[in-house]
């Protein structure tokens, strides 16, 4: 892949929870499209997760789960590179070098850090840095290292992460300015925000945006009975079965739209608007559609999650490719700085 003329896209996924329907719509599907156009690299940002996760079993589980999910959802491991951040130790060498050319003020302005300080201010804490670890503070530098180390052209991220990609571009600019000589050493990356992230988001089972921080998700790989239970919990109003309904006001319909074929969606819209279709009917339909689509994925996911499965080979091959790429960039950086 490194020899092809196609541009490289790089995405990191933080393993901090079970993958859910919102991830599939917001991150995984757009990534599948990008994999058609770029040499796509995906990595499990396990060291980033350590800023919040304090449970080794969970970290191991989530890391594997993220990789298994993306492959089960359709990423072809033959065509893409998938690796664990922790399998590329060059990342941490570059992180240090980059922190030496990064203004502390830039980190003070980073969204996640500022939000954590704001929360402290709101709760009346005297020390606005209370409970904030250096991992959270340095997070954007580690992320810049992930990106710059792979000589990435584009970085597909959600809106919430685009500041981080801009930071990576800034930091690369500082490095090139200080150490570039005749030729830039670090490539300036471009953020790509998938269309799905600029428009509507998927509602969760309480009607708010589906997010693990709200605890309102439908995990991708639950049992059928669990899936049914979660779908039933989606809130609806008390319009009687026979009355006309507004499909767009319904969370269940908004989820259906993302998973059903256009025909099923428009037919359901008509039936709801005409009256005679109850919210219960809609939820039964939603369950069937989800279960049909997720069933085959679940089987593949379960197989990949088994210890010693094909997933280990995928990650080992990915680590090797990623390290080869990383070493090239790091060699340039070491030479440019005088470390070597
Ligand atoms: N910070 C990203 C997130 O929380 C994950 C991530 C880490 C990442 N390193 C990256 C994304 C590099 C893109 C490129 O979602």
């Amino acid at each position: 892949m490194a020899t092809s003329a196609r541009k490289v896209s790089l995405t990191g996924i933080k393993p901090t929870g079970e993958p859910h329907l919102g991830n599939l719509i917001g991150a995984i599907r757009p990534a599948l499209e990008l994999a058609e156009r770029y040499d796509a690299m995906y990595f499990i940002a396990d060291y980033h997760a350590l800023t919040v996760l304090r449970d080794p079993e969970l970290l191991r589980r989530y890391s594997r789960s993220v990789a298994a999910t993306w492959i089960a959802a359709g990423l072809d491991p033959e065509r893409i590179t998938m690796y664990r951040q922790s399998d590329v130790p060059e990342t941490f060498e570059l992180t240090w070098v980059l922190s030496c050319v990064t203004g502390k003020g830039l980190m003070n302005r980073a969204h996640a850090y500022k939000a954590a300080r704001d929360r402290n201010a709101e709760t009346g804490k005297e020390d606005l840095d209370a409970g904030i670890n250096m991992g959270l503070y340095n997070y954007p530098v580690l992320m810049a290292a992930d990106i710059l180390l792979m000589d990435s052209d584009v970085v597909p991220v959600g809106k919430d992460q685009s500041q981080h990609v801009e930071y990576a571009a800034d930091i690369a600019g500082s490095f090139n300015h200080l150490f570039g000589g005749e030729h830039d050493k670090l490539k300036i990356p471009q953020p790509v925000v998938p269309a799905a992230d600029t428009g509507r988001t998927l509602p969760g089972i309480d009607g708010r945006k589906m997010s693990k921080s709200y605890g309102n998700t439908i995990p991708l790989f639950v049992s059928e009975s669990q899936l049914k239970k979660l779908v039933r919990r989606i809130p609806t109003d008390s319009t009687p079965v026979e009355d006309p309904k507004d499909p767009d006001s319904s969370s269940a319909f908004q989820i259906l739209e993302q998973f059903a074929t256009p025909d099923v969606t428009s037919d359901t819209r008509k039936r709801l608007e005409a009256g005679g279709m109850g919210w219960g009917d809609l939820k039964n339909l939603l369950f069937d559609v989800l279960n049909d689509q997720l069933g085959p994925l679940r089987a593949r996911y379960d197989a990949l999650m088994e210890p010693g499965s094909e997933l280990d080979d995928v990650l080992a091959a990915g680590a090797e490719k990623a390290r080869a790429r990383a070493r090239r960039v790091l060699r340039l950086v070491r030479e440019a700085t005088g470390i070597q």
Side-chain angles (χ1 to χ4, degrees), residues 41-191:
M41 304 184 77
Y42 299 89
F43 71 95
I44 318 304
D46 45 5
Y47 270 115
H48 273 109
L50 207 53
T51 60
V52 290
L53 255 186
R54 295 292 139 82
D55 178 331
E57 269 319 303
L58 266 189
L59 181 54
R60 265 190 284 273
R61 187 185 148 68
Y62 290 158
S63 295
R64 199 169 175 82
S65 169
V66 163
T69 301
W70 286 62
I71 292 172
L75 276 187
D76 177 357
E78 299 286 318
R79 295 184 51 200
I80 55 118
T81 306
M82 158 111 37
Y83 61 97
R84 266 186 303 244
Q85 182 184 39
S86 54
D87 281 338
V88 185
E90 288 80 4
T91 308
F92 304 95
E93 200 172 332
L94 184 61
T95 299
W96 177 257
V97 176
L98 296 181
S99 42
C100 293
V101 301
T102 301
K104 178 171 175 287
L106 193 69
M107 294 302 108
N108 290 342
R109 292 188 292 276
H111 291 328
Y113 171 63
K114 266 182 29 190
R117 278 173 65 94
D118 288 349
R119 276 194 299 276
N120 278 338
E122 277 157 25
T123 52
K125 298 240 169 62
E126 204 173 309
D127 175 7
L128 295 185
D129 282 328
I132 298 177
N133 63 55
M134 284 301 291
L136 176 78
Y137 190 70
N138 287 333
Y139 190 109
V141 184
L142 179 56
M143 186 157 157
D146 295 329
I147 295 169
L148 303 176
L149 191 60
M150 294 302 154
D151 206 23
S152 316
D153 293 286
V154 298
V155 184
V157 283
K159 257 192 301 203
D160 63 319
Q161 294 292 317
S162 57
Q163 185 198 42
H164 286 148
V165 185
E166 284 156 24
Y167 273 27
D170 268 14
I171 294 171
S174 309
F175 184 90
N176 288 339
H177 177 70
L178 291 165
F179 295 112
E182 262 173 60
H183 301 290
D184 281 356
K185 300 292 185 290
L186 298 176
K187 190 182 284 167
I188 309 290
Q190 302 281 329

